[in-house]
Amino acid sequence: FFFLMIRRPPRSTQSRSSAASDVYKRQGNNKMRGFAFARNFFSKNPTSLLGKTALVASFAYAATRYNFFNTQHSDHEFGRKLSDNIHNRPPTHDFYHNVSIFSGNANLPLAQEICQYLGTSLGKINVGRFTDGEVNIQIQENVRGKDIYIIQPTSTPVNENLVELLLMVSTMRRASAGKINVIIPYYGYSRQDRKVAPRVPISAADVARLLETMGVDRVVAVDLHCGQIQGFFGPRVPVDNLEANIVGLTYVLDHKNEIDLQNLTIVSPDAGGVTRAKKFQDMIKNQGYENISLAMIIKRREKASQIDSMHLVGSVENQDVIIVDDMVDTAGTLCKAVEELKRNGAKKVYAFATHGLFSGAAFDHISKAPLEKIIVTNTIPAKEQEEHCEKIVRLSVGPLLAEAIRRIQEKESVSNLFQVKRI
């Protein structure tokens, strides 16, 4: 078995291997070579003892190849439970025929985790800088006619990462790529989705126009700030807005000894987030916890990131509370909401936000707030200060994005990802 898993197949065998073997041959993955060799050996020697042994070895390897892997911010057990919730399946061999996955510099660890789940590796591309600071892109492998997936959140530094993404798309298009799908875990400029004052841009729409002009064929995002951003792209560019609620749900159910699910209230921090909070409430109810209520905070802003007044609509007295939002920036608004909930009798207050931007004095605000935990995902890379803040829990959306990529490529339903079975 060990010999079969590490042996490099003869050159003639490699030339006849399947699509999966071709992919891993390119990557230099000896284990996958052994898997392909074992399968090919059995096809030539189906009746011999060694041939049968090769078949068993190949199936044993395939059965263990597609597990979730530990990441810095999520353990194996959490990844396993999340994979159960999203009904994950390993890609078929046809998946590897014509797919290449690339990443810019914005969130390389997340891109590597996605590839690890899919059983492949990142495509070879150089995303660097010229001496004057201009972005320098060079693809170092053939992409002609291939289905390309580019993983690049447009988080801080927003303009640098956005230009990287635009130039990567343009380079792929000029290199005759077949389809170009961009995975944008965090969509920068998403908060500027309408005119709130005279003579201001609608930046979210302008970014969509830039991507469409460069030649994008599909966009996959995670928890867009507002759903109407999907409409900023034309009908030629479908947009999949994945919901990270399923990641938060897995965490909540895994910590039901800490969070009182029998006396729980889900709170939206503003009127625009009520739909998101309601979906999270329904997901927990579907797990058999019927006594889940919903509340909302009404706030009036003086200007961006500054709140003039805040009022609670609903009751949280003697309840554990989970605030559900799409992002946390300076955390000033969040921490004021926590204080308001505490004044109204809440016992424990948790927060779940998909995107942890943590700008400005965010870490100082969180440390001083009467907040139990703030749960975020790795759509945006972690900052160094997070290591010193015990209240922050960071979960991975890698399995969710990887499964979405697999379903898109194999022409399966993406919406079924969020039909969570009862745990």
Side-chain angles (χ1 to χ4, degrees), residues 50-281:
L50 188 56
K52 293 176 181 178
T53 304
L55 178 66
V56 172
S58 65
F59 274 111
Y61 176 72
T64 58
R65 181 64 183 86
Y66 298 107
N67 286 333
F68 280 95
F69 294 82
N70 296 337
T71 62
Q72 181 180 0
H73 302 288
S74 61
D75 56 27
H76 177 77
E77 181 65 16
F78 178 83
R80 183 188 63 78
K81 291 179 180 178
L82 179 58
S83 69
D84 289 342
N85 283 348
I86 63 176
H87 316 286
N88 71 294
R89 292 204 329 243
T92 63
H93 291 312
D94 292 339
F95 176 88
Y96 301 103
H97 271 299
N98 206 36
V99 173
S100 291
I101 301 175
F102 294 88
S103 175
N105 295 317
N107 198 342
L108 194 57
L110 175 59
Q112 290 170 338
E113 184 186 349
I114 291 170
C115 288
Q116 204 170 31
Y117 168 79
L118 291 171
T120 184
S121 65
L122 286 171
K124 297 177 181 179
I125 186 171
N126 177 44
V127 183
R129 297 292 185 274
F130 290 107
T131 54
D132 62 352
E134 294 179 354
V135 176
N136 177 23
I137 307 284
Q138 184 178 16
I139 306 168
Q140 298 175 331
E141 62 180 66
N142 180 33
V143 296
R144 184 178 296 273
K146 290 190 175 182
D147 293 340
I148 303 298
Y149 291 85
I150 301 174
I151 303 169
Q152 176 85 339
T154 50
S155 52
T156 306
V158 180
N159 297 331
E160 290 277 329
N161 291 330
L162 178 58
V163 171
E164 279 189 9
L165 176 59
L166 293 172
L167 292 183
M168 280 192 289
V169 172
S170 174
T171 306
M172 294 292 177
R173 183 57 68 202
R174 295 173 190 273
S176 302
K179 291 183 179 179
I180 301 175
N181 309 277
V182 295
I183 313 298
I184 311 178
Y186 172 73
Y187 188 98
Y189 288 103
S190 62
R191 285 176 284 185
Q192 300 181 50
D193 58 346
R194 62 193 185 280
K195 293 186 70 171
V196 295
R199 298 173 296 281
V200 297
I202 305 178
S203 303
D206 297 332
V207 170
R209 183 64 63 85
L210 287 170
L211 287 168
E212 198 167 0
T213 302
M214 288 296 102
V216 166
D217 291 299
R218 177 183 289 271
V219 174
V220 179
V222 180
D223 274 334
L224 291 169
H225 185 63
C226 289
Q228 68 258 28
I229 293 175
Q230 297 172 79
F232 293 160
F233 293 86
R236 193 188 64 81
V237 182
V239 179
D240 294 303
N241 184 24
L242 305 183
E243 298 172 356
N245 276 349
I246 191 170
V247 181
L249 173 69
T250 305
Y251 178 87
V252 169
L253 296 179
D254 201 35
H255 292 76
K256 56 188 176 184
N257 293 332
E258 302 173 17
I259 304 172
D260 186 1
L261 298 182
Q262 300 298 337
N263 295 284
L264 181 66
T265 299
I266 307 300
V267 174
S268 171
D270 52 44
V274 171
T275 301
R276 184 181 297 108
K278 181 68 168 61
K279 286 183 179 179
F280 196 70
Q281 178 198 28

Side-chain angles (χ1 to χ4, degrees), residues 302-313:
E302 290 182 346
K303 58 182 180 179
S305 301
Q306 289 190 15
I307 302 299
D308 179 45
S309 62
M310 186 175 291
H311 303 283
L312 175 67
V313 177

